[in-house]
């Protein structure tokens, strides 16, 4: 599986395009849907689905533009986060207006291209995507380099976050971690130096 990660939107979300055999899966298109589509075209990739680590506004706003360009494109998300679509509290003025409820929503449990790890704490339906053969974890806003996701938003829970992090720490130390924001890291590095985990 090949990976291309770009930063999108003013919150600089790490949006990853995972691809194999000409097919692409778009993870967390937080903004700039047209830019993502342009990258797919340049690389000759056909989008198969959008994968969301969670449904906060800065990770989902690019969905509307992508589904205009690719009307049948499914959106995979954990059911516990679907309530955030179109919610008035889940938007910011200007760049991050509400996108409403996307078409063709599907349950992440039905994904087969990777292991889906349910990691509540930042949101009730937060998930991480683990590509075992590539030793790669897309951690969303659960685990960051040197930090963890906030738990003070509606639906957040520090106790659930710590349980989720314990599960992630069971992955191999050399697993590359691409978080929802900021620089990449590894599971081993976070075990050794993350103040929330040491």
């Amino acid at each position: 599986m090949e990976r291309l990660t770009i930063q999108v939107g003013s919150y600089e979300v790490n949006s990853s395009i995972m691809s194999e055999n000409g097919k692409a899966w778009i993870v967390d298109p937080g903004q700039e849907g047209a830019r993502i589509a342009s990258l797919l075209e340049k690389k000759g990739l056909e989008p198969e689905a959008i994968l969301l680590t969670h449904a906060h506004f800065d990770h989902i706003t690019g969905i509307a533009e992508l589904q205009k360009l690719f009307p049948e494109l499914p959106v995979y998300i954990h059911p516990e986060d679907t309530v955030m679509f179109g919610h008035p509290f889940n938007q910011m003025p200007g760049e991050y207006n509400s996108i409403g409820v996307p078409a063709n929503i599907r349950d992440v449990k039905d994904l087969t291209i990777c292991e889906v790890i349910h990691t509540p704490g930042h949101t009730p339906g937060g998930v991480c995507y683990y590509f075992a053969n590539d030793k790669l974890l897309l951690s969303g806003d659960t685990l960051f380099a040197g930090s963890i996701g906030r738990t003070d938003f509606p639906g957040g829970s520090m106790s659930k976050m710590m349980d989720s992090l314990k599960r992630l720490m069971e992955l191999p130390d050399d697993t590359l971690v691409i978080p929802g924001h900021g620089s990449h890291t590894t599971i081993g590095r976070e075990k050794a130096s993350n103040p929330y985990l040491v």
Side-chain angles (χ1 to χ4, degrees):
M1 188 78 71
E2 295 184 7
R3 174 186 60 86
L4 171 64
T5 299
I6 60 173
Q7 287 72 49
V8 297
S10 59
Y11 281 73
E12 297 184 336
V13 166
N14 287 326
S15 179
S16 292
I17 299 172
M18 304 299 298
S19 62
E20 188 174 57
N21 300 323
K23 306 294 185 181
W25 294 263
I26 305 160
V27 183
D28 287 354
Q31 254 297 355
E32 304 180 55
R35 178 185 170 200
I36 294 171
S38 177
L39 286 171
L40 294 175
E41 183 178 4
K42 287 179 181 177
K43 294 191 171 291
L45 297 172
E46 180 181 347
E48 286 288 290
I50 293 170
L51 280 55
L52 300 177
T53 60
H54 63 294
H56 278 155
F57 68 89
D58 54 328
H59 289 252
I60 67 172
T61 309
I63 293 173
E65 199 166 10
L66 284 167
Q67 286 194 326
K68 283 181 182 178
L69 296 168
F70 309 103
E72 303 301 318
L73 197 61
V75 176
Y76 285 87
I77 187 170
H78 192 284
E80 290 189 56
D81 267 17
T82 57
V83 67
M84 285 190 263
F85 287 127
H87 196 289
F89 291 141
N90 192 34
Q91 57 185 292
M92 290 288 283
E95 184 180 4
Y96 292 102
N97 287 327
S98 173
I99 65 166
V101 180
N104 205 2
I105 293 177
R106 300 185 186 179
D107 193 325
V108 289
K109 293 194 294 292
D110 296 331
L111 275 174
T112 58
I113 65 161
C114 63
E115 179 183 349
V116 179
I117 306 173
H118 184 206
T119 52
H122 183 62
T123 66
V127 301
C128 296
Y129 298 108
Y130 178 51
F131 298 81
N133 291 339
D134 303 288
K135 296 183 177 180
L136 172 68
L137 180 75
L138 304 179
S139 65
D141 287 4
T142 297
L143 177 64
F144 299 118
S147 189
I148 63 173
R150 292 178 60 171
T151 60
D152 58 336
F153 295 131
S157 166
M158 179 57 81
S159 62
K160 290 182 179 179
M161 173 66 80
M162 296 312 295
D163 288 341
S164 295
L165 292 166
K166 287 178 183 176
R167 288 197 295 277
L168 296 184
M169 292 306 104
E170 295 173 357
L171 298 175
D173 284 356
D174 60 349
T175 300
L176 177 66
V177 179
I178 307 296
H181 306 265
S183 60
H184 66 267
T185 185
T186 66
I187 291 295
R189 187 181 305 162
E190 296 313 301
K191 281 183 182 178
S193 62
N194 191 311
Y196 293 92
L197 300 171
V198 172

